[in-house]
Amino acid sequence: MDNLLQFSPMQSSVDEGFWHRLSSLKLNKLGIDDSPINIFGFYAPCSHSQVSNYLTVLSESLPSELSEASLIPEPSRGNRNRCSVPGILYNTNTVESFHALDKHSLLNKEAAKIWDDILTGKAVEDCSLLSRFLVISFADLKKWTFNYWFAFPALVLKPPATVVNLKPASHWFSVAEAESVSAACNEWRSSKLTADIPFFLVTIDSNSRATVKLLKDWEACRSNAHKILFGFYDPCHLPNNPGWPLRNFLALISARWNLNSVQFFCYRENRGFADMMKSLVGEALITVPQEWKDTMPNVVGWELNKGRKVPRCISLAQSMDPTRLAISAA
Amino acid sequence: MVLSQKLHEAFKGTVERITGPRTVSAFKEKGVLSVSEFVTAGDNLVAKCPTWSWESGEPGKRKPYLPPEKQFLITRNVPCLRRAASVEEEYEAAGGEVLLDDEDNDGWLATHGKPKETKSDEDENLPSMESLEISKNSSIKQIPSYMGPEEEEDIPDMAEFEDPSNVIETDPSTYLVAHEPDDDNILRTRTYDVSITYDKYYQTPRVWLTGYDESRMLLQPELVLEDVSQDHARKTVTIEDHPHLPGKHASIHPCRHGAVMKKIIDVLMSRGVEPEVDKYLFLFLKFMASVIPTIEYDYTMDFDLGSSSN
């Protein structure tokens, strides 16, 4: 009996600057307008054996107050420590409306965008569309407290994928292959053109030479490659579980390319360089019924707060409240 | 030392192209950096240790003398597995610290891995950055982040509103780490965002720390002091406005940085190693590791430090 493939959930991290900019946007520009705001976050491959990487939002995640026409922030490209992820923020005006938000339908709405991009092939062209996130929040600007809840929508395979042979990449590859894969990944990560592209193909020829390719090269790769792996930047540090981004990647692979057996490569780093001991390779087995593509799969992804289904709360009165600042400055 | 001569040539050439000679001599004579030397050293750090990157920070706080896209350096999500405060308790029990350089009274402490071992040569002037051997069973108490809903009575307690609508479906493919017990012996991994800014007044780099608890909630800057070598926590670490980011952050005050860097450079030169300005930040970060010994940021060096082990 094969084991169920279990994914470690994505976790959020909010830089203080995000709340500072949201507050000034709210006070100076948005007012009581509570329509959703397009934002973006970023993550990077895990780079330490003890801690996972987080999906981070900071002040640049929000549109600038000054930007006139568009409220859509522009992520800067080419930073290897910032793979951008499109997100959406629902900031309510009252605590009651925060609780009244229909979380189920908001999550489905974001997942529908991912599913649509998979079916149309947009996600193959621009794989940053495979991961999305949403935040619901209530910013109490009288008390400088922020209640919020992140979700990372993941399409659920039914029946769930199972896994065989999940092990460190260094055990899975031959020595020559591991060296070549490391070198190819380091090159991919150091080029400004590809450093922040989090999903990719790794092909290995019969001479153990590895190449990293874009997803859109799939058709060309499948005809001449000796081995093909589906690689992704894995924010997770756990030795026996891949991270969250693999979920929507598997949905794409099975929906577009009809594969039942997928060799996946969880790319992880040590101090910024490819680490084949911490990276994982495994084989996911997917059985997808024919009618699967007609309806959108189920979705999961609300973040737990210390294991509980509750929002998070942060108080920034110490750094934002003008009266407290005046007292501490006196 | 043909290699070091070649490096020296390359170094001189680079520096002469970028800066005037007066600034070059300030690096070796005073241990300080010009703005363009800071950018050169930062570029080299980013190239060798890619977990570091340049950032532009808040547009309103941009310094006109630095390139807009290279305002400061940052490495995020750096693990800190144990509190420096509790490391030192064990460490003092094992022999204590060695105060460096009494005559200048600059108060930097060496954190020698092997207490009792006395060295008479100039090595003592270099804060030793040997990684401390720390036993795994150190008991570290959970320090609550001040942001938790329990702390402020003003905050509506959202925890009461545990969502009845079952938005989080039970999903067999989601791997959830078992609930951590509230046990004082559990190691609490904090993470840090470590940034390096250019301090125009002292003409040196300056390190800033933003701490997060194990669920990545912001730590009160005062709690960051637990991860600073205790002597520095009382003396040289201050909580101030970050020059490029919003909010208050803990910072290692740069008033003695130039003097300490000057000593490190002197030691290198006395060993026949010509210090290169683009390696400045590696030396600087090695020196900072004596102040924040348990924050595991990257400063891997691939050059000859003039090790005395030959």
Side-chain angles (χ1 to χ4, degrees):
Chain A
M1 171 87 193
D2 300 323
N3 294 318
L4 218 54
L5 181 55
Q6 287 193 309
F7 309 86
S8 164
M10 187 73 107
Q11 294 166 279
S12 67
S13 166
V14 187
D15 189 273
E16 199 179 340
F18 181 82
W19 301 123
H20 283 256
R21 190 177 283 188
L22 177 63
S23 305
S24 70
L25 259 183
K26 196 72 190 147
L27 291 171
N28 302 330
K29 185 160 185 175
L30 299 175
I32 57 159
D33 179 3
D34 61 358
S35 40
I37 304 170
N38 286 307
I39 58 177
F40 71 91
F42 68 85
Y43 72 104
C46 167
S47 194
H48 297 277
S49 53
Q50 303 94 342
V51 290
S52 290
N53 204 281
Y54 300 82
L55 184 118
T56 303
V57 293
L58 46 119
S59 65
E60 297 109 288
S61 299
L62 284 159
S64 155
E65 268 176 62
L66 305 169
S67 64
E68 283 299 324
S70 85
L71 265 179
I72 301 168
E74 270 297 309
S76 61
R77 301 302 305 264
N79 182 336
R80 54 176 285 140
N81 297 320
R82 286 193 181 193
C83 305
S84 67
V85 179
I88 194 159
L89 168 69
Y90 293 85
N91 181 54
T92 62
N93 287 320
T94 63
V95 68
E96 290 77 18
S97 45
F98 176 78
H99 287 295
L101 285 172
D102 182 350
K103 296 184 198 64
H104 186 72
S105 73
L106 292 182
L107 184 69
N108 276 332
K109 211 167 151 186
E110 290 316 293
K113 295 178 190 169
I114 298 172
W115 185 238
D116 194 50
D117 289 337
I118 286 175
L119 296 183
T120 60
K122 256 175 94 178
V124 174
E125 293 297 317
D126 177 4
C127 63
S128 70
L129 299 173
L130 266 183
S131 305
R132 285 179 181 270
F133 72 103
L134 70 148
V135 191
I136 58 172
S137 67
F138 164 59
D140 185 339
L141 299 182
K142 292 194 182 87
K143 293 171 183 156
W144 309 104
T145 61
F146 302 86
N147 299 285
Y148 65 100
W149 202 337
F150 272 75
F152 308 102
L155 301 164
V156 175
L157 298 178
K158 206 170 175 184
T162 56
V163 62
V164 285
N165 265 336
L166 181 71
K167 50 185 164 190
S170 55
H171 296 177
W172 202 89
F173 293 123
S174 71
V175 175
E177 286 171 345
E179 261 175 36
S180 185
V181 170
S182 276
C185 288
N186 284 332
E187 195 185 327
W188 179 268
R189 288 281 288 152
S190 58
S191 159
K192 277 230 182 296
L193 294 173
T194 52
D196 59 357
I197 299 180
F199 298 91
F200 52 91
L201 303 168
V202 177
T203 63
I204 301 174
D205 69 15
S206 49
N207 295 321
S208 303
R209 267 197 308 267
T211 321
V212 182
K213 296 244 169 77
L214 295 167
L215 294 187
K216 63 181 178 190
D217 295 328
W218 158 251
E219 289 300 336
C221 291
R222 72 184 303 185
S223 48
N224 23 18
H226 184 58
K227 291 180 190 169
I228 303 183
L229 292 97
F230 292 84
F232 71 103
Y233 293 172
D234 191 355
C236 169
H237 76 285
L238 299 173
N240 297 310
N241 297 87
W244 209 242
L246 181 58
R247 300 195 74 153
N248 293 339
F249 196 22
L250 289 180
L252 173 131
I253 293 164
S254 61
R256 280 202 68 84
W257 297 322
N258 273 320
L259 300 186
N260 295 321
S261 159
V262 175
Q263 282 171 345
F264 62 86
F265 170 48
C266 310
Y267 174 77
R268 300 173 183 178
E269 299 183 335
N270 181 27
R271 300 198 175 269
F273 295 98
D275 185 331
M276 292 297 122
M277 300 290 284
K278 286 197 291 165
S279 296
L280 303 174
V281 177
E283 187 175 347
L285 304 177
I286 307 168
T287 30
V288 174
Q290 272 308 309
E291 68 276 10
W292 191 58
K293 280 190 224 175
D294 303 334
T295 49
M296 191 178 86
N298 281 338
V299 188
V300 293
W302 285 99
E303 185 177 31
L304 294 178
N305 179 5
K306 298 193 170 98
R308 300 173 66 205
K309 302 171 193 175
V310 290
R312 290 168 185 245
C313 179
I314 185 167
S315 165
L316 293 179
Q318 287 211 345
S319 70
M320 294 180 84
D321 183 347
T323 42
R324 287 211 207 179
L325 288 181
I327 292 164
S328 72
Chain B
M1 292 300 275
V2 179
L3 180 64
S4 82
Q5 276 167 359
K6 272 188 185 161
L7 288 172
H8 181 50
E9 292 294 312
F11 156 68
K12 269 174 70 180
T14 311
V15 172
E16 279 161 12
R17 249 177 286 131
I18 299 168
T19 59
R22 249 185 100 250
T23 328
V24 179
S25 65
F27 151 62
K28 285 187 202 160
E29 286 159 17
K30 296 183 188 160
V32 298
L33 281 186
S34 72
V35 171
S36 58
E37 284 171 335
F38 175 69
V39 174
T40 306
D43 284 344
N44 198 33
L45 179 69
V46 169
K48 300 277 164 47
C49 300
T51 51
W52 288 92
S53 29
W54 283 110
E55 285 201 3
S56 45
E58 290 288 294
K61 293 184 166 188
R62 247 163 238 175
K63 310 286 180 243
Y65 49 85
L66 282 163
E69 75 289 359
K70 293 181 180 178
Q71 294 278 309
F72 67 105
L73 295 149
I74 193 162
T75 179
R76 286 197 168 81
N77 199 29
V78 178
C80 177
L81 301 179
R82 48 207 162 232
R83 306 290 75 81
S86 65
V87 167
E88 275 170 37
E89 279 170 27
E90 292 175 22
Y91 179 68
E92 273 164 27
E97 288 170 312
V98 184
L99 189 63
L100 282 176
D101 196 35
D102 277 327
E103 85 239 27
D104 277 13
N105 197 23
D106 49 6
W108 293 112
L109 292 176
T111 49
H112 288 278
K114 295 174 208 148
K116 306 269 156 101
E117 185 185 310
T118 48
K119 290 182 186 172
S120 54
D121 61 0
E122 278 168 303
D123 287 6
E124 285 224 336
N125 284 336
L126 257 180
S128 163
M129 319 304 170
E130 295 151 48
S131 53
L132 294 164
E133 285 295 324
I134 298 127
S135 61
K136 293 251 173 186
N137 58 6
S138 60
S139 114
I140 288 168
K141 287 183 182 151
Q142 181 184 13
I143 297 107
S145 67
Y146 78 132
M147 311 303 181
E150 307 81 19
E151 303 277 318
E152 283 265 353
E153 47 188 302
D154 286 353
I155 302 171
D157 190 357
M158 293 291 192
E160 296 302 312
F161 293 89
E162 182 133 14
D163 206 296
S165 65
N166 209 15
V167 293
I168 298 160
E169 304 86 346
T170 39
D171 164 41
S173 298
T174 302
Y175 176 79
L176 293 172
V177 182
H179 225 125
E180 281 187 57
D182 281 331
D183 183 342
D184 281 354
N185 288 319
I186 294 286
L187 212 61
R188 300 287 167 181
T189 299
R190 289 180 176 176
T191 51
Y192 276 90
D193 294 347
V194 183
S195 56
I196 304 174
T197 60
Y198 180 74
D199 191 285
K200 203 181 174 202
Y201 182 84
Y202 291 104
Q203 298 173 29
T204 62
R206 176 169 189 170
V207 165
W208 300 81
L209 302 169
T210 312
Y212 299 87
D213 71 7
E214 73 276 7
S215 45
R216 195 70 187 172
M217 295 296 283
L218 198 61
L219 278 181
Q220 197 173 14
E222 284 74 20
L223 292 178
V224 170
L225 297 182
E226 293 168 345
D227 293 315
V228 172
S229 150
Q230 286 308 283
D231 189 73
H232 296 293
R234 291 186 291 269
K235 276 179 166 177
T236 44
V237 176
T238 53
I239 291 155
E240 291 177 48
D241 289 328
H242 193 287
H244 300 283
L245 297 172
K248 300 268 180 204
H249 301 250
S251 168
I252 299 154
H253 199 269
C255 56
R256 298 292 305 167
H257 286 5
V260 175
M261 288 305 293
K262 160 77 175 143
K263 284 199 187 89
I264 293 172
I265 288 162
D266 285 349
V267 169
L268 289 180
M269 288 174 71
S270 74
R271 292 172 181 168
V273 179
E274 197 61 42
E276 297 168 69
V277 79
D278 65 346
K279 306 274 164 65
Y280 185 100
L281 283 173
F282 295 91
L283 296 171
F284 176 75
L285 286 173
K286 201 166 158 63
F287 148 51
M288 282 296 119
S290 65
V291 185
I292 41 175
T294 56
I295 301 178
E296 302 178 6
Y297 59 82
D298 190 17
Y299 57 96
T300 315
M301 273 176 301
D302 59 347
F303 65 97
D304 182 18
L305 237 184
S307 154
S308 54
S309 60
N310 52 359

